[in-house]
Amino acid sequence: MITWPPLLALLIAIPMTSAVLTPAVARGNGNRAFWWALGVMSVASVIATMLIARVSQEGPFSYVVGGWVAPYGIELHFDEFSAAIAIICLLGLLAIVYSKDYVAHAIAEPRIPYYYTLLLLNLVAMMGFTVTGDLFNLFVFMEILSLSGYALVAVSGERIAEMAAFKYLVMGAVSSLMVLFGIGLLYALTGSLNMADIATRLEGAPSAPLAVAFAVLTLGFMVKAALFPLHIWLPDAHAIAPSPISAVLSGLVVKVGIIGMLRVYQIAYGSGAIDMSGLNLVLMWLGAISIVMGAFFAVFQDDIKMMLAYSTISNIGYIVMGLGLASTYGLIGASVHVFNHALIKATLFFGAGALIYRTGKRTLTDLAGVGRSMPFTVAAISIGAISIVGMPPTAGFLCKWYIALGAMQAGHPFFAFALVFGALFIFIYYIRMVNAFYFQQPKDPAILEVKEAPATMLVPTLILATLCLVMGVLGRVPLSFIEPAVNRLLATVGGG
Amino acid sequence: MIRRALVVALLIAVAVPLLLAMSQLPPHGSPDTPPNTHVSPYYLEHGAEEGGAENIVTAVILNYRGFDTEGEVTVIFTSMAAVLAVLMLAKPDRAPRVAPTPELPVSVVVRFIVRVLAPFIAMFAIYVILNGHVTPGGGFQGGTILGALVIALSLVLSREDADALLPRKPEHLLQAAAPIAFFLVGMAGLLYWGEYLYFPRDEAQRWIGVLMLTIIEIGIGVGGACVLIRIFRAMRTE
C-alpha cells in the first residue's frame, strides 16, 4: 500500500495538465489525441486504485496543498464516498476506447482533439469535485465540469445539439450561481471555506441565512442531478450528445449533484446547527415523484436514447429518496446506486450508440428486429435492461432493495411502495425495448444485413454488461465498503 | 397577463427568504464578523513574509489557495476549448481560403491611434504581469491587456500580418501556458521540498519563491492572452 501524501494532489494535477496539452500533442490528428487520452486516463486509474486501496485500509485521509494547514490552504479529503473516482476512471477509460471509431464518424475531424481535451477535462473535474475538502475548490471543479459538459453536448455540430446545449447551459449557469451564493453565505457566517472547519463553526449562526445557505446549495445540486421538476434540461442534452458522452453525462455527471448533496449533508450533520428533517422530507417526496414521472415519460418515448435519458431521472429519484430517508440502509443503497447506475446506464447508452452507429436509426419502430443482426450488442442491452429494472442477479437489485429497506427502517413504508411501483413502470418500457429488438418483424429488411458493432465499441459494452452481472453477485463488497462512511455521517445526528 | 402575475409572485416568493437571510448576516465590513476574525487575519499577518508576495491578494491566490487558481486557469482553458470545439469547422491551416471576407477599410484615425499606442500598451501589459506580486495586477489582468492589444492590432493589420502575431506553430502550447506553468512550479515544489505547489518560506530562499511566483504570473499572462486571441480568431472565421 502506498501512503505518499502528495499522491492525492497528483491525482488531479497530472491528468488536468495532460488534458490541456492534448491539442499540442495531437497537432490536429484525432488518432494521436485518442492514444494520449487513453494513456492519461490509465495513469489516473493507477493513482485512483492506490488511493482507494489506502482508504479501504486506513479510512479517510487528507492532504493540504502547498504544505499549509487546513483552513488556510486547500485541503483535499479522501473518504469512502470519494471512492466514486473508481467508476469515473473505469467509465472514462471505456468511453475513450468507445469514442475511437464513434467520433471518426460523428464529429468533424479538426474538432476531435478538442473533443478528447474536453472529455478528459470533464473526467478530471469530476475527480477533483469528488476528492476536495474545500467548498470553493469544489465550485472551481464544478465550473470545469459544467463548461466541458455544455461543449460536449454541442460538439457534434448539429443544430438541435446546439439548442440542447444552450438549454443545458442556461440551467447549469443558474445552478452554479445558486451553489456559489450558498458558499458565499456559509463564508459570511463562518469566515472559512474548508468543509470540516465550517461544520465546527456553524454553531450559533443566525437561522435564516443558515437555512437559505443549505437550501440554495441543495437546490443548485438538485438541478445538476436533474431531479424532477428541475430535470427539463436533461432529456435533450443526454439524448442528443454523442453516445460515449451520453454515457458519461448520464452515468457520471448527474452524480456530481448527488456527491455535492452528500457533502452538504456532511457539513449539516457534522455541525448539528441545522435541522435537516424538513429538507429530508422534501427530498423523499421529490425522489418518489422523480421515480414515477421519469418512468412514466420514458414509457412514451420511441427514441431509444430519449428513453434512456428519462430513465436517468427516475434513477436519480431512487438515489435522492435514499438520501432523504437518512437511514443507514437508505443511504448505503443510495451511495452504491451512484456506482451501479453508472455501470448500467453506460451499458445501455453504449449499446444504443452501437445500434445507431451501424443502422443510422434511433427509434424502437425502426430498430425492430435488430437483435438478429447485432446479437452481442442487443444481448448487452438486455442485460442492462434487466439490471435497471432491478432483477435479483444483477447490479440494480441490491441497491433498490436497500433503499426499500431504508424506507421501512425510517418508518415510511409508502416510499417503498413508490419504489416498487416505479420499478413496474420501468419494467414495461424495457420489455418494450427487448420485445422490439428480438421479436418484432423488422420494418426495413435491410436491418437484418447490418454488421455487429466494431470491436472498440463492442468490447467496452460487453465489459460493462459483464460488470452489471458481476456486481449483482458481488453486491455485498461495495455495500460493506461504504458502510463506515454512512455510519460516521449518521452518528452525528443519532440516526441509524 | 396571468403568466406575468405568476412570474412576479414567483420572484417575490424567492426574494423574501433571500432578503431575510441577507438581513440577518453579520454586518458587512465590521471588524468582528467571522470573515474578518478567522482565516483572513492570518493571511494579513503572515502573507507578506510567508506568502512570498508583498501584495496579499497575490499571496492568497497564488500561494495559499494556489490550487484553486490552478483550477481557475483550467476553467479559462476549458472555455476556449469549448468555443473551439463548437466553432471550428475546418482545419484552419489546410483549408483552402474560400473567398476571404471583403475587408472593410479601417478608418485612418483608428489605424494611426492603434499603431501609436501599441508599444505603450505592450509595455503596460508586461509591467502589470511582472509587478503583480507587489502592486495590484498580475497575470490575469496583464494577459487581458496583452490579448486585447493583439485583437486591436488584428483589426488594423492585414490578415497575414495579424496572423504572424501569434504563429500557428507554438499556439497549441502557448494557449495552455497557464496550467503548464502551475504544474511545473508545483512539481518543482514537490521535488525539492516534498509538497505540491510549495513555495519556500524562509528569508534565504525568498528569491526562489519570488521567481516561482513570477513564472506562474508570466504563464497566466501569456496563456490568458493566447486564449483570448484564439477565441477571437475562431469567431472571426465563423
Side-chain angles (χ1 to χ4, degrees), chain A residues 126 129-130 142 145 221 224 252-261:
Chain A
M126 262 186 288
F129 187 95
T130 313
M142 200 171 99
L145 174 80
F221 287 132
K224 286 267 181 275
L252 301 174
V253 174
V254 289
K255 308 299 173 40
V256 162
I258 303 295
I259 292 168
M261 278 195 230

Side-chain angles (χ1 to χ4, degrees), chain A residues 33-88:
Chain A
F34 163 77
W35 288 107
W36 173 253
L38 194 63
V40 171
M41 255 348 256
S42 310
V43 172
S45 305
V46 171
I47 302 179
T49 314
M50 292 195 264
L51 292 171
I52 294 171
R54 183 173 168 197
V55 81
S56 70
Q57 301 209 346
E58 60 180 57
F61 54 91
S62 296
Y63 176 70
V64 186
V65 180
W68 300 107
V69 281
Y72 307 113
I74 289 173
E75 182 186 15
L76 302 174
H77 185 74
F78 200 94
D79 60 8
E80 285 87 349
F81 294 125
S82 313
I85 58 168
I87 186 72
I88 299 174

Side-chain angles (χ1 to χ4, degrees), chain A residues 66 72 114 134 137 197, chain B residues 38 43 65 68 88 201 230:
Chain A
Y72 307 113
Y114 284 97
D134 187 280
N137 203 231
D197 193 40
Chain B
H38 185 44
Y43 291 151
R65 299 189 62 87
D68 263 354
M88 200 163 57
R201 278 158 219 177
R230 290 276 281 161

Side-chain angles (χ1 to χ4, degrees), chain A residues 379-394:
Chain A
I381 293 180
S382 308
I383 293 173
I386 55 171
S387 311
I388 208 143
V389 175
M391 299 278 211
T394 58

